[in-house]
Structure formats: C-alpha cells, structure tokens
Amino acid sequence: MAEEKTEKVPRKTYEKELLRLQTELVKLQEWVRAEGARLVVIFEGRDAAGKGGTIKRVTEHLNPRVARIAALPKPTERERTQWYFQRYVEQLPAAGEIVLFDRSWYNRAGVEHVMGFCTKEEYQLFLRQCPIFERMLVEDGIMLRKYWFSVSDAAQQERFQRRLEDPLRRWKLSPMDLESITRWEDYSRAKDEMLVHTDITEAPWYVVESDDKRRARLNMIAHLLESVPYQDVEPPVLDLPKRPASKGYQRPPRDLQNYVPDHAATL
C-alpha cells in the first residue's frame, strides 16, 4: 500500500516558524558560549537530500566565530596515511563552540564503501571503531547530534533535474551525484548497515524525512533545540556613546580615490 503524501508546509507558515526557531538558535548559541559547552551536529544523507539548505538556515543568524561549518574535501596523500578519524578530530569544537559537519567521518560508511574508495578491511574497522570513538566524544562532554536526511528516489531525481537546468545550481551536480542514481540500492544497504553498527544509546541517529524541504528544516531545527538543555542568557547592557564633536577632519576629494561604478543607477 502506497504511503500517503504529506502536504507541503505553506510558505508563510514556514517562514514564520523558521524565524522563531532561528531566534531560539541564537539563544542556544549564547548559552553554548556562556557555558563553555561543545556541540557537534552531523548532517548526513543522500545527494540532494537537503543537508546544505538546512545547514544554511541553521547558521544564517549565528556568529561564525561560535558556529562554524566543517565540510572537508577529499583527504590528501598525507591524510590517507593517518588514523582515519584524525583529520576530523582537528575540527572538533573547543569550549563555547558549535561545529556542524556537512558530511563527516561517515563518508567511510557511505560513498567510500559503495564506490570502492576504501578496502573491505578499512570499512569493517570503521564500523568497529566508530561507536567507540563517539562514546569517547560524549564521555568527554561533547554533545553529539546525528541527523540522516532521507529522500525518496523520485524527489532526488527531480532535484537533480532542476540542478541540471539551473545555471546557478549546476555546480552542485557532480559525476558522483549521477553515479548515485544507478547505485541507489547499494547506498540503501550501506545506510542500513551503518545504522545497525552506529545507532548507539550515547549518540543515536535521527532520521529526517526530507521530500518536503521546508518541513525537514523545521523538524530538524526544532528537534535539535529540544535535545539541548539551553537557557536564556542575559546579554550585557550596552549603551551607544554620544558621537564627539568634530575636530576639523575633512574627507579627501573623491577624485583622489577609486570608486565602484554605480551599476544600480543603470537599472
């Protein structure tokens, strides 16, 4: 029996609730900074599942010095000889910081495994070590949240097609993305296997249904906020000082400097 299709969240409802949630995210940020907390949020899922768009909405109003995105490129030759988790450890937060992983160490359980970029031995070692590694992070006081963005094959295909036709988003479509279409079931099996081994009590996985991007963003952000015991932090009282009287400064003549042409005036 086919699943009932959920209606998309209306734009006005989405924008109003998103703003409310983003306001709460700022409060969360200030609490993390004041308490010296450390928060790691992992975003995983298939290509075009909506991870990037959600990360943008999470960080839109946050201080980049507090909340930063870790999106690592493929490892260098030197990094390939390191312990697999080593380059990710370097990205972990210090006190008062939030790190959002746009893909993470779970690359090994997904694309590397499916595409043959790692050996079977390396893959099995990852499945054994990952739960131990994450328990160590949590035991050390890091708050670890893991989200898997789930998208249907039809929605993914539609998004790929839009990227192909849109010059502003064409760069998002890579040969690896196209390969994922023909390996849909391989990725499904890899995801299932990953969850079996790494869905641990200390750091469980949370699945985000993302065929409706608006709904996915609201659901993920709301869940993140509910999962962290943050509180309002009173901001410091600031008073704008009075602007002092002029001491005779005069701006140099305009013809002594180069100005950007007024393109807007031509519109």
Side-chain angles (χ1 to χ4, degrees):
M1 185 176 179
E3 295 183 4
E4 292 186 11
K5 191 171 183 179
T6 306
E7 290 187 9
K8 289 190 175 183
V9 176
R11 178 172 293 279
K12 287 187 177 180
T13 301
Y14 164 72
E15 291 177 347
K16 180 180 179 181
E17 179 61 9
L18 178 62
L19 182 59
R20 187 190 72 81
L21 293 173
Q22 288 176 326
T23 303
E24 291 300 314
L25 284 170
V26 172
K27 295 178 183 178
L28 168 64
Q29 166 193 265
E30 294 307 296
W31 175 83
V32 166
R33 180 161 57 178
E35 294 294 318
R38 293 172 292 165
L39 175 61
V40 170
V41 186
I42 288 177
F43 293 78
E44 290 287 346
R46 295 181 185 271
D47 298 314
K51 301 180 297 297
T54 304
I55 291 172
K56 285 182 181 180
R57 273 65 182 186
V58 170
T59 59
E60 186 173 4
H61 299 289
L62 301 184
N63 184 343
R65 293 185 178 87
V66 177
R68 58 183 171 85
I69 301 169
L72 300 187
K74 65 180 182 180
T76 64
E77 288 299 323
R78 180 176 182 276
E79 287 172 335
R80 288 192 182 96
T81 68
Q82 297 175 342
W83 178 46
Y84 175 72
F85 294 94
Q86 189 166 334
R87 71 188 191 123
Y88 295 102
V89 169
E90 296 174 353
Q91 300 295 322
L92 293 174
E97 293 180 349
I98 302 170
V99 176
L100 298 92
F101 279 93
D102 186 356
R103 296 197 180 278
S104 64
W105 46 84
Y106 282 100
N107 276 341
R108 176 136 296 177
V111 64
E112 289 190 18
H113 171 55
V114 172
M115 300 301 296
F117 296 155
C118 67
T119 66
K120 291 182 179 179
E121 292 75 18
E122 289 172 331
Y123 169 67
Q124 292 298 330
L125 181 62
F126 171 83
L127 293 181
R128 291 197 302 272
Q129 288 188 343
C130 185
I132 300 172
F133 172 65
E134 292 184 352
R135 287 189 180 103
M136 291 173 64
L137 299 183
V138 174
E139 186 178 13
D140 198 62
I142 290 177
M143 295 180 289
L144 179 59
R145 303 293 183 266
K146 304 186 303 192
Y147 293 98
W148 176 269
F149 284 72
S150 178
V151 64
S152 67
D153 53 354
Q156 185 193 56
Q157 190 82 10
E158 180 183 343
R159 291 172 188 175
F160 280 168
Q161 188 63 41
R162 289 204 301 267
R163 289 180 180 182
L164 190 63
E165 297 169 355
D166 185 348
L168 296 180
R169 293 188 290 177
R170 177 64 179 79
W171 62 271
K172 290 186 176 183
L173 198 59
S174 69
M176 196 71 67
D177 295 330
L178 301 180
E179 183 79 14
S180 69
I181 296 175
T182 61
R183 294 176 179 263
W184 179 271
E185 290 193 2
D186 293 336
Y187 274 103
S188 295
R189 294 188 183 95
K191 181 261 295 181
D192 292 343
E193 187 75 6
M194 178 192 79
L195 293 181
V196 166
H197 287 85
T198 63
D199 185 20
I200 59 177
T201 303
E202 297 85 348
W205 276 104
Y206 295 98
V207 178
V208 182
E209 296 286 354
S210 63
D211 277 10
D212 178 358
K213 288 184 178 182
R214 296 173 190 168
R215 185 180 300 274
R217 293 165 186 167
L218 297 180
N219 290 345
M220 180 268 151
I221 296 173
H223 181 273
L224 174 64
L225 291 167
E226 290 172 1
S227 75
V228 179
Y230 72 97
Q231 298 175 351
D232 281 355
V233 175
E234 285 294 326
V237 177
L238 301 174
D239 291 318
L240 281 177
K242 292 183 178 180
R243 192 172 297 278
S246 172
K247 296 181 181 180
Y249 169 79
Q250 292 185 355
R251 189 173 183 176
R254 289 178 62 90
D255 57 6
L256 294 181
Q257 296 173 336
N258 296 316
Y259 282 82
V260 173
D262 190 0
H263 169 74
T266 68
L267 301 179

